[in-house]
Amino acid sequence: MNVLGYQLRLVLTAIQYFTRLPVPRWVGYSDRQLNDASRYFPLVGILVGLFTGAVFLLAMRVFPQPIAVLLSMLAGVLLTGGFHEDGLADVCDGFGGGRDRPQILAIMKDSRVGSYGVLGLSLALLLKFTALTALPVVQFLAISAGAHAFSRFMAVSLIYTQRYVRDDDSARAKPAAQSLSPVGLACAALFALAPLAWLGVAGVAGAAGALVLRLVGAQYFHRRIGGYTGDCLGAVQQVSEIGFYLALLAWIST
C-alpha cells in the first residue's frame, strides 16, 4: 500500500476507534495500525468539536443556551460512546479507592462504577456544562473544535512521555497506548494547534490551562502507579478539556 493510502487508513482507524461512526470494511484492524493511528487522535477531536459545536448552533435557533449546551454535550457522548468519560470514572474509582498500584489497577479494570466514579464524573460534567454556558455564542464552534483537539493531544502526549503499566492484554486501549514516534507526536501537535489559530490569544490561554492540568495529572499517575493506563488517557482528555474552557473563560473575563 502506498504512503497516502496507509495514512488514510490510519485516519479512518482513529475515527473507528474513538467514535461510533461507521468506516469501510477495507480499513481493517491490527495492533500496529491502531498504534500508528494515535497521531490522528487530535484530528478526531476536531471532528467531534465541530459536530458538537454545530449541534449547539442549530439548537440555539430554537432553545435557550443552557438547553443548547446540554444537547451539544449529549451529541458528543452519543458520537464517542462516552469513551473518555468512562475512563475518567474508572480513574476516580481506582485512585480514590485504591491504596497501592495493584489495587488501583484492579479497581480500574472492574466494569462496575463506584461512588468515587459517580461523584467525579458528575462533578466534571457539571463543571463542563457550567463553563460551556458561559462561553460566547459567536465563538462556540471554534472553542469546541480547539478544546476537543488540544485535550486529545494532551492525552496522546502521555503515550510519548510515560510508560504503559498494565501487564495483560485485557485493556481495550493497550494497542493504542504502546509507543509514539517523534514524527507521530509532531503530526498530532499539528492537528491540535491548527484550531487554536481560529481563537488567537484566547486559544493560547485555553491551551495553557489544559497543559497545566495535563502535567499535574501525569505527575500524579507516575507517583501512584508508575505510568498510565488507557483509563488515564481518557481522564486526561476530560480534565484537559475542562481546563481549556476554564482558562479561556478566565482570559476573556480579564
Side-chain angles (χ1 to χ4, degrees):
M1 179 180 295
N2 60 45
V3 174
L4 290 179
Y6 184 63
Q7 295 306 310
L8 175 60
R9 177 166 289 185
L10 295 183
V11 170
L12 292 174
T13 298
I15 292 173
Q16 175 181 245
Y17 188 74
F18 281 108
T19 74
R20 295 295 179 88
L21 295 175
V23 300
R25 187 180 296 273
W26 56 261
V27 173
Y29 172 85
S30 70
D31 288 357
R32 178 195 170 193
Q33 189 172 309
L34 185 55
N35 188 80
D36 292 345
S38 59
R39 68 188 61 183
Y40 293 115
F41 293 169
L43 174 59
V44 176
I46 294 176
L47 299 177
V48 173
L50 290 176
F51 177 73
T52 57
V55 169
F56 170 81
L57 293 177
L58 289 173
M60 278 293 293
R61 294 176 175 268
V62 182
F63 302 109
Q65 186 171 353
I67 295 179
V69 167
L70 278 176
L71 289 175
S72 72
M73 292 175 63
L74 175 61
V77 170
L78 291 175
L79 182 62
T80 64
F83 187 75
H84 302 295
E85 288 84 354
D86 178 69
L88 175 61
D90 286 342
V91 164
C92 290
D93 274 335
F95 287 88
R99 293 187 300 272
D100 52 28
R101 171 179 161 170
Q103 189 176 31
I104 290 171
L105 295 178
I107 293 173
M108 285 197 291
K109 186 177 178 181
D110 193 329
S111 61
R112 294 170 295 181
V113 180
S115 57
Y116 289 109
V118 171
L119 286 170
L121 183 57
S122 298
L123 290 172
L125 291 175
L126 180 59
L127 186 56
K128 185 186 298 187
F129 168 78
T130 305
L132 289 173
T133 56
L135 292 176
V137 174
V138 294
Q139 290 184 292
F140 194 97
L141 187 64
I143 294 171
S144 181
H148 279 277
F150 197 81
S151 61
R152 280 164 175 78
F153 175 60
M154 293 292 92
V156 168
S157 68
L158 250 66
I159 301 174
Y160 188 78
T161 63
Q162 303 287 322
R163 182 175 67 91
Y164 188 81
V165 296
R166 284 202 185 277
D167 297 323
D168 57 76
D169 294 318
S170 63
R172 181 186 173 197
K174 184 173 182 180
Q178 294 305 286
S179 63
L180 184 66
S181 68
V183 173
L185 182 69
C187 183
L190 179 63
F191 286 113
L193 295 174
L196 300 186
W198 197 358
L199 294 169
V201 179
V204 176
L211 179 60
V212 168
L213 292 183
R214 181 265 185 216
L215 293 173
V216 171
Q219 179 62 29
Y220 180 72
F221 295 149
H222 180 76
R223 180 168 59 84
R224 294 293 304 276
I225 61 174
Y228 73 96
T229 68
D231 287 327
C232 294
L233 298 181
V236 166
Q237 187 280 318
Q238 286 289 292
V239 172
S240 297
E241 182 186 342
I242 293 171
F244 189 101
Y245 298 138
L246 294 179
L248 188 145
L249 283 171
W251 174 264
I252 292 175
S253 300
T254 56

